[in-house]
Amino acid sequence: MTGLGEHSDEPHRFVEFEKCPAGLSLLALGAADGPVWRGEELRADFPKPGTATSFRSLFLLPRLATQEAASISEFTLRAQHSKAPDSVDGKPGFEVNVVEHGIYIHTQLRPLLRSLIHDKLLPYITQRFGCSNPALAAAITRRYLPGERRRHPVHFDGMAFVTAVVGLDGEYTGGFYVQPHPSKSSRQFVRLQAGDVAIHRYDLRHGVDVSGGSRYSLVLWFKPDQASAMDGSLPWYPLDSSAGDADAQHNWARLLQCEAKSGDSKSQLKLAKQLYEKAAAQGHAEAQRCLGSMLFKGLGGTTASAAEAFIWWHKAAKLGDGHAQKLIANVLRFGMGGTPADVEQADYWEKKHISQQGFGGDSDASDDGAPARKRSAELASLSDVLATKESPTAQRPYPHQDVTPACAGVPEATLDELFGPA
């Protein structure tokens, strides 16, 4: 089995990890005897908007799941993968739902996963992220084969506090990557061998691009406690937003904006705009673009202003946001909203936008990627996600609150339309 980077001519850029000096010892939850696993913990930190002391972090635990990977891989190879359209890009998902809302769908995997989850991952999440009682909320296995799905667009895992990606079997190039900034130039792949586990929070953009061979993975989504795993609530967004986290502010604003169509739209949109403003002021490109769109449409209690929208779209475009670059190109090409037409500048931003699309390698069998780009461009207008309310007096780390999706009973695939699964 080989993972990434086996070919010297491979063009991909890889994450440069640093070894955590203390190493890692994991005690099973409730265990009184010695550690169940000892090994390395690798870490990569990426700048986070608005702060010099907090980071978008990626952790790699080499060989953490080596004992379990072979059995899980065997299940994955035999399992019937669903070809239902993926909610992010509309293409066949080729995935198997293993756990939904904390309940195992494929019970035969429960004994295979128990050691990995209860003896290793949950203790690690408790130790690393300060959750006193974390719980598994959802899990899938997914395959990327020639003639099937080859990519998954860059996205946030907005419906989970922590994501774990387990490398299984397969010989491939490309694979799992992180993209800590809006521009594709920040994309870095992860050398994920069978049994390695990559772990990150909700604030790190990531995706998949398999440029050759076959890849299999197990993806697990965790929440801070059992209650939020079962009922679909997202208690970290109000708390982290109140603490000034720009990613939390952006993600929560997106959720509020999408929920507004089915709820108290005025109050939801007003709060969403305030959150976008806070994140945008910290240099969060996606928040700047979304704030511009609200100003363009006159949402959140403001008068529609194309001029103000252009200012924020331009800020986001300069930071590398591809959607903002497309918006700027259209405004300049057609002279929209009182902005003078400038074909030369429109061409410049159009080329910037085009450069963000795709990453080379084999195309998905179904098309050349255009539907995925169209689907991605429509994310800002998605709806039917959740209603939340702020609790500024609550203290981290994330006690359970009444922050519950209005559509908690909606299948996870529908909720994933906002941010997408890994």
Side-chain angles (χ1 to χ4, degrees):
M1 291 179 288
T2 60
L4 305 182
E6 300 297 328
H7 306 288
S8 60
D9 60 347
E10 188 172 89
H12 302 315
R13 175 186 175 198
F14 295 95
V15 174
E16 296 183 1
F17 287 97
E18 293 186 1
K19 185 184 297 186
C20 297
L24 185 63
S25 295
L26 295 177
L27 290 170
L29 297 177
D33 49 2
V36 297
W37 189 83
R38 295 180 186 273
E40 292 181 336
E41 180 188 25
L42 308 181
R43 176 172 184 160
D45 290 330
F46 307 98
K48 192 178 182 71
T51 176
T53 57
S54 297
F55 301 92
R56 295 162 167 164
S57 298
L58 174 67
F59 300 91
L60 181 64
L61 308 182
R63 299 174 295 281
L64 178 72
T66 297
Q67 293 180 345
E68 299 87 357
S71 297
I72 299 170
S73 179
E74 183 179 351
F75 166 86
T76 303
L77 290 170
R78 296 196 319 263
Q80 182 67 37
H81 286 66
S82 171
K83 297 181 182 179
D86 182 84
S87 58
V88 175
D89 58 14
K91 299 178 182 179
F94 295 102
E95 63 185 43
V96 178
N97 285 331
V98 177
V99 177
E100 292 182 359
H101 299 295
I103 300 174
Y104 279 83
I105 306 302
H106 283 273
T107 55
Q108 64 266 42
L109 265 184
R110 186 165 191 162
L112 299 179
L113 294 179
R114 179 170 178 79
S115 173
L116 174 62
I117 294 171
H118 293 277
D119 296 343
K120 299 175 184 177
L121 288 176
L122 290 179
Y124 177 77
I125 293 169
T126 299
Q127 178 177 320
R128 168 54 64 189
F129 300 104
C131 302
S132 59
N133 188 31
L136 177 65
I140 63 170
T141 63
R142 174 168 273 169
R143 73 187 188 197
Y144 297 83
L145 304 181
E148 295 184 354
R149 169 178 287 276
R150 307 302 280 162
R151 302 188 181 98
H152 205 287
V154 62
H155 59 277
F156 289 106
D157 278 349
M159 305 304 293
F161 181 61
V162 172
T163 297
V165 181
V166 182
L168 296 178
D169 202 355
E171 297 186 1
Y172 61 92
T173 54
F176 175 71
Y177 64 81
V178 296
Q179 187 171 309
H181 305 297
S183 174
K184 192 184 71 177
S185 64
S186 71
R187 185 172 299 183
Q188 301 174 47
F189 285 78
V190 180
R191 290 183 171 92
L192 199 62
Q193 305 286 349
D196 293 349
V197 182
I199 298 178
H200 60 86
R201 294 199 320 154
Y202 63 86
D203 57 358
L204 185 61
R205 301 177 195 83
H206 59 282
V208 174
D209 191 330
V210 178
S211 53
S214 303
R215 177 181 183 265
Y216 300 86
S217 65
L218 169 69
V219 187
L220 307 108
W221 292 284
F222 295 88
K223 291 192 175 182
D225 52 55
Q226 187 65 43
S228 59
M230 297 293 290
D231 65 22
S233 58
L234 311 173
W236 59 91
Y237 281 136
L239 296 167
D240 287 4
S241 295
S242 296
D245 188 295
D247 290 312
Q249 291 165 347
H250 163 262
N251 288 4
W252 191 21
R254 289 282 297 272
L255 295 167
L256 289 166
Q257 186 179 9
C258 292
E259 189 275 338
K261 291 185 178 180
S262 60
D264 183 359
S265 61
K266 290 184 178 180
S267 61
Q268 299 285 5
L269 289 175
K270 184 176 180 180
L271 179 55
K273 179 174 174 290
Q274 292 171 350
L275 290 166
Y276 281 143
E277 288 173 338
K278 292 178 180 179
Q282 298 187 71
H284 196 287
E286 290 94 332
Q288 291 174 343
R289 186 231 310 154
C290 293
L291 176 60
S293 296
M294 291 193 78
L295 292 169
F296 186 82
K297 298 175 183 177
L299 301 176
T302 63
T303 302
S305 173
E308 290 186 52
F310 185 88
I311 292 172
W312 286 109
W313 287 340
H314 194 248
K315 289 178 182 289
K318 290 193 295 183
L319 289 174
D321 186 281
H323 302 321
Q325 290 167 350
K326 179 65 173 178
L327 289 167
I328 288 292
N330 287 337
V331 169
L332 290 171
R333 189 173 306 282
F334 301 108
M336 298 168 60
T339 302
D342 189 330
V343 175
E344 183 177 350
Q345 278 294 300
D347 289 342
Y348 170 82
W349 287 113
E350 181 73 21
K351 290 177 182 177
K352 286 281 190 181
H353 166 71
I354 292 173
S355 72
Q356 303 271 22
Q357 310 305 311
F359 196 76
D362 300 331
S363 296
D364 287 352
S366 57
D367 56 44
D368 63 357
R373 296 193 291 273
K374 180 178 183 294
R375 181 74 170 182
S376 181
E378 294 170 352
L379 284 175
S381 63
L382 292 172
S383 59
D384 71 337
V385 186
L386 89 166
T388 58
K389 59 185 181 182
E390 190 165 10
S391 180
T393 60
Q395 300 297 313
R396 293 187 289 181
Y398 318 105
H400 186 72
Q401 308 174 58
D402 184 19
V403 182
T404 306
C407 54
V410 175
E412 194 71 22
T414 300
L415 298 179
D416 283 341
E417 286 185 336
L418 183 57
F419 296 105

